[in-house]
Amino acid sequence: MSTTLHLNDDDLVLHYYGEMTPAEEANAGAHLASCAHCQASYAKLQRVMAFVDSAPAVEAAPGFERIAWARLEPALPAPRRASLPGMLAWFVLSPARLAFTAGIVMLIGAAFMAGRMTRQAAPAAASQIVQSAEKVRERILLVDLGEHLDRSQMVLVELVSAPLNDDSGGSVDISLEQSRAEQLVSANRLYRQTALSTGDAAMASVLDELERVLVDVAASPSTVTQEDLDMVRRRIESKELLFKVRVVSSQVRDRQRAETRQLTAGSTLGS
Amino acid sequence: MPHTDAAAVALARDGDSEAFRALVDRHSRAVYRLAHRMTGNPQDAEDVVQETFLKAYRQLGRFESRANFGTWLHRICVNCSIDLIRSRKHQEAGHDAADLETLDSVDEHRVDPSPERLMLSSEVQERVGRAMEELTAMERAAFVLRHFEGQSIEEISGALGLKANAAKHSIFRAVRKMRLALEPFVES
Ligand SMILES: [Zn+2]
């Protein structure tokens, strides 16, 4: 005897994946046991799922491991062996480091331009060594920009998902996010300027929006009211900032991959 | 060549690239399988494999030696796939018409499914692959994480940056599309 309504398709999916609350589950179980109609729908769902399960995963081609390594090896950063303290720790921006970062940013600028030029015309043989050295540098620097974007993303995610704390009188401690934002601001400014000077307007615009939020967060007190935090959140969400940062970050990685491919191709030809 | 992943990780952390190569040898195939499932095509899967190992290499210092390296790599791969999917989603916004054309042309090549043919695992793979192609990138990611990866809806919403309800509905839509595409072949 069934006392509840029929289970709809979505209920059946939740039941299938064990995503119902214990109470819902008990109801659904009892209903299913006594309702032929729902049993039939559930059996259909199970058949489709079993069919999905029986499809083997797509396997990589034979020798894939070797190919994966051939692509990967030239892309692995080498700083572990050659100790370049500035490269590893540049993120901690002391005033001296800032100058170093500025240097890096100029190099990125040069690399961006070089990238553009190689796309337009084949490089002359004489400049090939310089070019490939520049490629290596660009790759390292793109990694740094990628990491900057990753760190920024983390701060944004933390701000957006900071727990609502009702028992602390409506205040939220954001000191951690704040100190991270502070660290990110200077680097962000330099990257934005570089993007502008190399004509990468899309990147510059995202970095600009990002910077405004970072500056605000860095300048705010370490404990903010719920309303303040909500305002920051709305700003991040209304501009889809998190999504945009993710997109440019993926683009930077695409560039990294393209560089790596070129480099791999180059070294194969050269050897 | 180091015998265990933990030993290889310890050596790779000190800059031993051969030890890292051993890790790539052992795990790249599994990473590819997952990346292909998440992204739905070989080129993207290869890119995700590359990105996953690059990221793992850079973060070796953060890997806890008691943890399982394969599991850790798996997680990085899921994140890299999500990054790629989200960037694609953005780039391809507004190209629906083109996408539909591609789907239509795929349809023309469909073969009538006789039960014997469907017995072949490659046919099942293809059929399911086609059904998966009907999903949006986000539905696919949510479905793969729920169905194949056994993640809870709560975990999925965290990973994809969706509200719990949105993650739930992505999965509902995905299952609905899978049923629509596969039920005719499943019912005998
Ligand atoms: Zn019923």
Side-chain angles (χ1 to χ4, degrees):
Chain A
M1 179 192 77
S2 86
T3 50
T4 46
L5 293 168
H6 286 311
L7 300 168
N8 65 28
D9 285 351
D10 295 345
D11 293 334
L12 292 174
V13 171
L14 290 180
H15 175 68
Y16 179 85
Y17 286 129
E19 292 271 6
M20 286 182 151
T21 64
E24 289 167 341
E25 188 58 53
N27 276 337
H31 180 85
L32 264 176
S34 61
C35 174
H37 172 80
C38 287
Q39 277 168 16
S41 311
Y42 191 56
K44 255 193 215 172
L45 174 66
Q46 283 176 311
R47 274 204 297 276
V48 169
M49 295 308 207
F51 191 76
V52 171
D53 286 332
S54 67
V58 173
E59 285 291 334
F64 175 72
E65 294 87 345
R66 211 162 26 82
I67 295 162
W69 179 249
R71 274 183 77 190
L72 197 58
E73 193 185 16
L76 293 179
R80 274 162 229 276
R81 257 162 291 164
S83 97
L84 296 169
M87 293 301 278
L88 281 175
W90 77 277
F91 182 69
V92 186
L93 291 167
S94 66
R97 288 267 159 67
L98 212 57
F100 175 75
T101 310
I104 281 189
V105 170
M106 303 252 300
L107 284 172
I108 295 181
F112 278 18
M113 295 309 274
R116 244 155 239 208
M117 276 150 62
T118 37
R119 245 170 274 138
Q120 282 163 4
S127 63
Q128 260 175 359
I129 295 168
V130 179
Q131 289 255 348
S132 81
E134 229 154 31
K135 286 273 167 241
V136 173
R137 211 154 42 207
E138 175 174 11
R139 219 180 54 234
I140 295 169
L141 302 173
L142 282 172
V143 169
D144 285 338
L145 175 57
E147 271 173 6
H148 169 75
L149 293 169
D150 283 349
R151 289 193 168 92
S152 303
Q153 257 181 63
M154 266 165 57
V155 173
L156 295 179
V157 167
E158 278 166 7
L159 285 169
V160 170
S161 59
L164 306 170
N165 199 347
D166 284 332
D167 19 86
S168 62
S171 66
V172 184
D173 179 11
I174 57 157
S175 49
L176 198 65
E177 289 80 356
Q178 195 195 12
S179 70
R180 289 201 189 129
E182 231 169 311
Q183 289 177 318
L184 290 164
V185 166
S186 328
N188 194 84
R189 187 169 298 138
L190 289 163
Y191 283 125
R192 177 173 53 77
Q193 284 161 356
T194 309
L196 270 178
S197 67
T198 55
D200 193 341
M203 173 75 83
S205 142
V206 175
L207 288 173
D208 184 51
E209 281 174 21
L210 174 61
E211 199 170 310
R212 283 159 202 262
V213 172
L214 291 175
V215 166
D216 274 5
V217 173
S220 72
S222 58
T223 307
V224 296
T225 65
Q226 194 61 64
E227 288 105 291
D228 286 340
L229 184 60
D230 282 344
M231 224 152 76
V232 176
R233 277 180 192 171
R234 273 199 295 277
R235 219 163 117 197
I236 294 172
E237 276 161 9
S238 73
K239 296 205 176 268
E240 292 188 291
L241 189 53
L242 194 51
F243 182 61
K244 287 179 192 163
V245 171
R246 267 182 181 276
V247 170
V248 290
S249 161
S250 297
Q251 284 165 351
V252 166
R253 276 186 224 121
D254 282 346
R255 290 268 294 276
Q256 259 168 260
R257 284 194 284 265
E259 291 299 321
T260 305
R261 264 186 222 132
Q262 273 184 22
L263 212 73
T264 318
S267 62
T268 315
L269 288 174
S271 59
Chain B
M1 201 180 267
H3 288 297
T4 64
D5 282 353
V9 169
L11 289 170
R13 217 179 253 167
D14 289 334
D16 183 336
S17 66
E18 277 308 306
F20 193 66
R21 181 180 187 161
L23 292 168
V24 173
D25 274 344
R26 278 177 212 161
H27 295 280
S28 54
R29 210 156 262 283
V31 174
Y32 180 89
R33 251 179 256 132
L34 173 62
H36 195 287
R37 211 155 234 173
M38 290 286 293
T39 62
N41 79 71
Q43 287 78 29
D44 285 348
E46 278 177 28
D47 283 347
V48 167
V49 171
Q50 161 101 353
E51 193 56 34
T52 300
F53 280 103
L54 263 182
K55 205 168 220 171
Y57 188 80
R58 288 204 295 269
Q59 298 182 355
L60 275 179
R62 275 190 245 164
F63 174 71
E64 285 181 41
S65 47
R66 275 173 306 167
N68 180 305
F69 184 73
T71 310
W72 185 66
L73 211 53
H74 198 93
R75 217 162 34 230
I76 297 177
C77 175
V78 167
N79 289 334
C80 289
S81 306
I82 291 170
D83 279 345
L84 188 105
I85 289 162
R86 295 182 78 149
S87 73
R88 272 306 134 69
K89 189 186 166 219
H90 184 77
Q91 285 165 15
E92 286 171 4
H95 289 254
D96 293 23
D99 286 351
L100 284 175
E101 269 169 35
T102 324
L103 279 177
D104 286 347
S105 65
V106 166
D107 270 344
E108 285 167 20
H109 297 288
R110 282 192 181 168
V111 210
D112 277 345
S114 66
E116 305 92 286
R117 285 185 69 89
L118 281 180
M119 294 304 286
L120 297 168
S121 67
S122 62
E123 281 287 318
V124 178
Q125 186 180 53
E126 202 188 321
R127 189 69 56 198
V128 172
R130 288 253 170 83
M132 298 278 280
E133 277 171 26
E134 315 272 327
L135 310 182
T136 67
M138 204 54 100
E139 286 163 2
R140 181 188 184 103
F143 179 71
V144 169
L145 291 176
R146 177 58 264 190
H147 191 85
F148 294 103
E149 296 299 302
Q151 289 196 14
S152 70
I153 290 174
E154 198 186 344
E155 287 168 321
I156 293 166
S157 69
L160 296 177
L162 298 172
K163 298 221 165 73
N165 214 35
K168 199 187 262 181
H169 282 278
S170 293
I171 293 165
F172 289 159
R173 278 197 305 276
V175 174
R176 234 171 279 156
K177 288 182 186 176
M178 297 300 279
R179 288 183 76 155
L180 219 63
L182 298 173
E183 255 171 22
F185 309 106
V186 171
E187 279 166 53
S188 43

